[in-house]
Amino acid sequence: MKAKLFLLSLIVLPIVMQAQLKDIPYSDGNQKLNGLSGVPKTSLKDKPGILILPAWMGIDDHAKGSATQLMDLGYHTFIADIYGEGNKPSNPKEAGQQAGFYKKNTNDYQRRIQLALNELVKQGANPDKIVVIGYCFGGTGAIEAARANIKVKGVVSFHGGLGKDVTRPNGPITPRVLVLHGADDPFVPQEEIEQFQNEMRVANADWEMVYYANAVHSFTNINSGNDNSKGAAYNEKAAKRSWIAMLEFLKQVL
């Protein structure tokens, strides 16, 4: 029932729910960052936390909806600000440039994720009971968190990019990895998928990858429209099933 309530919130995000999230300023050196924290009224045992990495446009309603629903389920949540104050994209071109920088400069991306994780812990989450989830560009970030072996129990990538520079070595991966992928996603070529899966094998990672039929990129976001030919579109079945898969993953690792 709670999972169904979340799905309804993807369509309508009540202001009262978003008001439950608190603005949290933090920084990366001289760069100001502004994340969003959600502290549950009634926390689950051991105060588990979920770090949320938003898509390429930065903190958006979709990330907020996920945060508030997870908070209502008893999880401490924090939405990371990857780009920083003054750098939020205003259009897809700018978003592509910003996201492209962090995909290329993965050390910077991993550092911003770690800084957000620190804030999640400061807000009350148990540092030993944390999972990172991310959407699209944020899904790529979730995989990068695993590659960096950031201290979390697991990571969940929703329709995220899976590739990495072939010159980067494949090291061991400790966090458990769940990839929720649109079977028809045109932005993640088969070669990239095969390289990722080989990387997971070499890393001796505990990983799984779920494909969703008729789903393309951004299938969890209601604001993506419904035209698969554009490469990014909402898919209700895939959104529901992937959310339920994530909740089961959280139960298992936390």
Side-chain angles (χ1 to χ4, degrees):
M1 178 60 72
K2 291 181 178 179
K4 291 181 179 179
L5 289 175
F6 165 81
L7 293 165
L8 291 174
S9 76
L10 288 178
I11 300 174
V12 179
L13 295 171
I15 295 175
V16 65
M17 290 179 62
Q18 295 196 25
Q20 296 174 1
L21 299 174
K22 179 182 178 181
D23 292 318
I24 300 294
Y26 59 117
S27 64
D28 181 3
N30 293 326
Q31 176 62 61
K32 295 181 180 179
L33 305 168
N34 297 291
L36 289 173
S37 170
V39 178
K41 293 180 179 179
T42 303
S43 178
L44 291 171
K45 182 180 179 182
D46 297 331
K47 297 184 178 180
I50 312 296
L51 176 62
I52 300 169
L53 307 180
W56 70 340
M57 291 299 291
I59 296 176
D60 56 14
D61 284 344
H62 187 51
K64 293 175 184 177
S66 294
T68 51
Q69 286 299 320
L70 287 166
M71 181 178 62
D72 288 344
L73 292 173
Y75 295 98
H76 291 251
T77 63
F78 191 85
I79 307 176
D81 178 9
I82 300 300
Y83 300 144
E85 188 173 294
N87 298 318
K88 184 175 174 60
S90 58
N91 55 62
K93 181 179 179 180
E94 292 180 2
Q97 293 172 342
Q98 289 277 17
F101 172 85
Y102 288 98
K103 288 179 180 179
K104 182 178 180 180
N105 297 278
T106 53
N107 288 339
D108 291 320
Y109 199 1
Q110 292 167 350
R111 185 180 67 256
R112 291 281 168 92
I113 294 170
Q114 180 64 62
L115 289 170
L117 178 63
N118 296 345
E119 293 302 317
L120 174 60
V121 173
K122 288 180 183 178
Q123 300 306 311
N126 185 337
D128 297 320
K129 295 283 185 177
I130 291 175
V131 165
V132 178
I133 72 170
Y135 298 96
C136 298
F137 167 59
T140 301
I143 300 299
E144 285 300 333
R147 287 173 174 146
N149 281 313
I150 289 176
K151 188 184 175 184
V152 294
K153 289 293 186 180
V155 304
V156 182
S157 173
F158 289 87
H159 41 78
L162 306 175
K164 71 169 186 172
D165 191 321
V166 294
T167 63
R168 292 172 63 190
N170 292 331
I173 290 178
T174 301
R176 185 171 164 183
V177 178
L178 173 61
V179 175
L180 304 171
H181 182 70
D184 298 330
D185 190 333
F187 300 121
V188 184
Q190 184 61 30
E191 181 181 6
E192 184 174 304
I193 293 173
E194 292 174 357
Q195 290 175 348
F196 167 76
Q197 293 180 351
N198 182 64
E199 175 191 0
M200 293 296 103
R201 294 184 182 99
V202 172
N204 195 31
D206 183 356
W207 69 284
E208 55 190 303
M209 186 169 180
V210 182
Y211 292 79
Y212 296 101
N214 306 312
V216 291
H217 200 63
S218 196
F219 62 79
T220 63
N221 193 335
I222 190 69
N223 295 318
S224 295
N226 56 12
D227 185 354
N228 277 17
S229 69
K230 294 183 178 180
Y234 177 67
N235 183 296
E236 184 179 7
K237 286 184 179 179
K240 289 179 179 179
R241 292 170 180 174
S242 61
W243 180 257
I244 292 170
M246 181 201 65
L247 291 181
E248 179 60 30
F249 180 84
L250 297 181
K251 291 178 182 179
Q252 292 178 16
V253 302
L254 297 177

